[in-house]
């Protein structure tokens, strides 16, 4: 487990470095695909062996080596003590007493060393056992909460939704949900608030954005992402990777929307994102498998910056032609 954790941490750091270095050289879709390396590695981990200077078991070779060295040194010390005492042979009875005392002291030292070694091994063993129990308890609780939260959320959506229409271009069904803080995709259904139906221009880009989520199979990858967070809850780099993966997911959809609608409509799409933010509808659904156009408010700055840069590129290319 330590080996897998270390490998994933190195992989996440490598992806973050590549994301930073090649941000302006690669597309947002390619940037989003970089994160597929993590689930791919976890699938291939039984067949891939990366050598790292780590020990996975508690019977550490170092302890065993130290014990052997200690035993050897104690034997040498005992033999030298006996040789010294043989030279003092004034009284044979006295010599025998001294020899027995030396032997008993040597045995006592060996038993004490053995006891210390066993106590060290026992401490390591029970510590590892307690950590393992805590690890599985947290996984069980975390997974149960995530699963229950999603079940309750899905049942709530199905019970309280009202059919609005089916989009002819994408074939996605649209439902009105009273407490839809932000439009989101669940299955092949888009859930919006009644307020979102008042402006057809904004609704058009909402549908297009969620359709891009559907094409990218982001719901499936969100389930995979949640599973990775559950199993590696103790690794802060996994949580950081999850955050940046969400950024790149939304940026990839923004790029796809601009590609489909054309760069002439960039301003309208940017207005849609700002409209959702100003209406305080950018509340995100944590640990929910649904995908949304709004996302987190902290994402908005990067997404708007990307849209503005695309608009500038469009103007520059038109001037050059």
């Amino acid at each position: 487990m330590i080996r897998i954790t270390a490998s994933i941490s190195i992989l996440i750091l490598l992806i973050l470095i590549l994301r930073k270095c090649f941000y302006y050289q690669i597309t947002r879709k390619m940037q989003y695909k970089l994160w597929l390396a993590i689930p791919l590695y976890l699938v291939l981990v039984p067949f891939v062996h990366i050598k790292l200077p780590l020990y996975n078991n508690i019977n550490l070779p170092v302890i065993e080596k130290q014990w052997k060295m200690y035993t050897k040194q104690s034997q040498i010390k005992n033999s030298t003590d006996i040789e010294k005492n043989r030279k003092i042979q004034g009284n044979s009875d006295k010599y025998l007493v001294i020899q027995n005392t030396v032997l008993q002291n040597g045995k006592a030292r060996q038993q004490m060393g053995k006891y210390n070694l066993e106590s060290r091994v026992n401490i390591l063993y029970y510590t590892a056992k307690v950590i393992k129990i805590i690890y599985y308890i947290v996984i069980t609780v975390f997974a149960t909460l995530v699963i229950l939260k999603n079940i309750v959320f899905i049942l709530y959506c199905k019970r309280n939704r009202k059919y609005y229409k089916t989009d002819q271009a994408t074939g996605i069904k649209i439902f009105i949900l009273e407490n839809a803080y932000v439009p989101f995709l669940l299955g092949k259904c888009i859930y919006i608030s009644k307020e979102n139906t008042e402006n057809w221009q904004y609704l058009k880009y909402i549908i297009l954005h969620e359709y891009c989520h559907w094409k990218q199979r982001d719901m499936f990858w969100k389930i995979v992402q949640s599973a990775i967070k559950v199993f590696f809850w103790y690794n802060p780099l996994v949580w950081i990777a999850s955050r940046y993966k969400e950024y790149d997911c939304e940026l990839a959809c923004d790029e796809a929307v601009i590609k489909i609608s054309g760069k002439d409509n960039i301003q309208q799409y940017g207005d849609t994102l700002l409209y959702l933010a100003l209406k305080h509808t950018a509340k995100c659904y944590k640990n929910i498998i649904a995908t949304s156009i709004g996302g987190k408010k902290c994402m908005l700055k990067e997404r708007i910056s990307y849209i503005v840069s695309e608009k500038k590129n469009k103007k520059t290319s038109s001037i050059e032609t």
Side-chain angles (χ1 to χ4, degrees):
M1 197 64 187
I2 298 175
R3 195 178 300 276
I4 296 174
T5 302
S7 301
I8 287 179
S9 300
I10 294 169
L11 188 59
I12 290 170
L13 290 173
L14 181 61
I15 292 171
L16 290 173
I17 292 169
L18 291 173
R19 184 184 184 276
K20 183 70 175 178
C21 294
F22 297 98
Y23 186 84
Y24 297 102
Q25 282 75 35
I26 60 176
T27 62
R28 303 289 77 81
K29 185 177 181 180
M30 183 61 66
Q31 182 174 291
Y32 178 47
K33 285 184 176 181
L34 288 174
W35 296 109
L36 296 178
I38 297 173
L40 183 62
Y41 169 74
L42 291 174
V43 171
L44 297 176
V45 72
F47 312 101
V48 178
H49 183 71
I50 299 175
K51 291 184 178 180
L52 293 172
L54 299 168
Y55 296 109
N56 290 329
N57 50 4
I58 61 168
N59 294 324
L60 301 178
V62 175
I63 296 176
E64 187 178 356
K65 187 177 179 180
Q66 288 177 353
W67 169 244
K68 288 180 179 179
M69 287 177 64
Y70 174 80
T71 306
K72 188 175 180 180
Q73 288 174 0
S74 63
Q75 289 175 354
I76 293 170
K77 190 174 181 181
N78 290 335
S79 62
T80 53
D81 290 341
I82 292 169
E83 290 296 328
K84 286 180 182 179
N85 291 319
R86 279 179 180 172
K87 294 178 182 179
I88 309 169
Q89 294 185 4
N91 191 341
S92 60
D93 294 335
K94 186 178 179 181
Y95 168 73
L96 290 172
V97 171
I98 294 172
Q99 187 179 19
N100 291 330
T101 305
V102 170
L103 290 172
Q104 287 175 2
N105 291 336
K107 289 180 180 179
R109 283 197 297 269
Q110 286 183 353
Q111 289 177 355
M112 184 61 70
K114 187 177 180 181
Y115 173 77
N116 291 334
L117 178 64
E118 289 177 352
S119 61
R120 289 173 66 185
V121 172
N122 287 333
I123 290 169
L124 286 172
Y125 173 76
Y126 287 111
T127 302
K129 199 170 183 179
V130 170
I131 292 172
K132 192 175 181 180
I133 291 170
I134 294 171
Y135 170 73
Y136 283 113
I137 287 173
V138 175
I139 283 180
T140 304
V141 173
F142 191 9
T144 303
L145 290 175
V146 171
I147 292 169
L148 288 176
K149 188 175 182 180
N150 279 277
I151 291 172
V152 171
F153 181 75
I154 292 169
L155 292 175
Y156 173 80
C157 292
K158 289 188 175 182
R159 288 173 183 173
N160 297 279
R161 67 185 183 182
K162 294 179 181 178
Y163 178 76
Y164 179 61
K165 68 172 188 176
T166 300
D167 185 61
Q168 298 298 324
T170 60
I172 293 178
K173 292 181 180 180
I174 303 169
F175 293 91
I176 295 175
L177 189 66
E178 184 179 353
N179 294 324
Y181 299 102
V182 62
F184 62 89
L185 179 75
L186 186 62
K188 203 177 180 182
C189 302
I190 296 176
Y191 292 83
I192 60 174
S193 63
K194 191 174 182 181
E195 189 179 5
N196 298 139
T197 62
E198 296 174 0
N199 192 317
W200 168 245
Q201 178 181 328
Y202 293 154
L203 182 59
K204 178 179 72 173
Y205 287 107
I206 289 170
I207 295 170
L208 189 56
H209 183 94
E210 299 304 332
Y211 173 68
C212 291
H213 275 304
W214 169 256
K215 283 183 68 178
Q216 290 181 170
R217 301 292 185 266
D218 288 329
M219 273 190 60
F220 171 75
W221 294 118
K222 202 159 187 179
I223 294 171
V224 173
Q225 175 184 336
S226 297
I228 292 173
K229 286 196 293 184
V230 166
F231 283 100
F232 297 96
W233 54 267
Y234 55 87
N235 191 345
L237 284 174
V238 170
W239 293 88
I240 294 170
S242 175
R243 179 183 176 186
Y244 279 99
K245 184 257 178 189
E246 288 180 13
Y247 284 5
D248 294 340
C249 176
E250 295 301 327
L251 287 170
C253 282
D254 293 340
E255 183 182 62
V257 169
I258 293 170
K259 188 176 181 180
I260 293 170
S261 61
K263 291 190 176 183
D264 294 330
N265 299 315
I266 291 177
Q267 182 67 46
Q268 296 176 358
Y269 181 60
D271 290 341
T272 303
L273 295 179
L274 290 173
Y275 162 76
L276 293 172
L278 292 172
K279 290 294 181 181
H280 304 287
T281 56
K283 183 176 179 179
C284 61
Y285 302 96
K286 292 182 179 179
N287 299 318
I288 297 295
I289 60 173
T291 58
S292 62
I293 181 174
K296 297 180 181 178
K297 287 185 178 180
C298 54
M299 295 183 190
L300 187 63
K301 183 178 179 181
E302 187 172 358
R303 294 174 69 186
I304 293 297
S305 300
Y306 169 71
I307 291 170
V308 169
S309 65
E310 286 294 310
K311 188 176 179 181
K312 287 180 180 179
N313 292 337
K314 185 252 177 184
K315 287 183 178 179
T316 305
S317 60
S318 62
I319 291 170
E320 289 176 353
T321 54

